[in-house]
Amino acid sequence: YHQTDLNESIDNALMLIEPELRGRVTVARDYGELPRIYSYAAELNQVFLHLLRNAAQAIDGNGSITVTTRADAATLSGQPVQLQVLAV
């Protein structure tokens, strides 16, 4: 349990599934500046890995995945961070 950079965790998950995406699915990253959060990084990476793999599997043929992260003033006061994955 330690501080985690969510954008880095998403990048780690994308690196792991990159061979599955190569030549078929492009990935666009639209990362915002996020506060570091306390988490179990390995478990969080598994969540991102499954989410991204499911998005890739939902694409019939060639397509793209856009990953967007955002934080606002509410986030800094304890509200959730926004993560959006769009598969097209």
Side-chain angles (χ1 to χ4, degrees):
Y1 189 78
H2 63 279
Q3 284 193 340
T4 304
D5 179 327
L6 293 175
N7 291 333
E8 184 178 316
S9 292
I10 294 167
D11 279 340
N12 290 339
L14 284 167
M15 279 192 306
L16 290 173
I17 67 164
E18 193 276 330
E20 299 172 36
L21 306 178
R22 191 177 303 137
R24 190 177 77 80
V25 177
T26 59
V27 177
R29 296 167 176 88
D30 181 15
Y31 295 163
E33 186 176 333
L34 301 178
R36 295 176 68 86
I37 63 166
Y38 283 94
S39 70
Y40 293 101
E43 286 85 352
L44 191 57
N45 287 344
Q46 281 293 319
V47 169
F48 292 143
L49 182 67
H50 290 294
L51 180 65
L52 293 163
R53 183 172 282 140
N54 287 346
Q57 290 172 350
I59 298 171
D60 191 26
N62 294 336
S64 65
I65 296 173
T66 302
V67 181
T68 305
T69 61
R70 292 288 180 266
D72 56 24
T75 303
L76 301 176
S77 65
Q79 298 300 314
V81 170
Q82 298 175 18
L83 168 66
Q84 178 182 19
V85 176
L86 176 64
V88 180

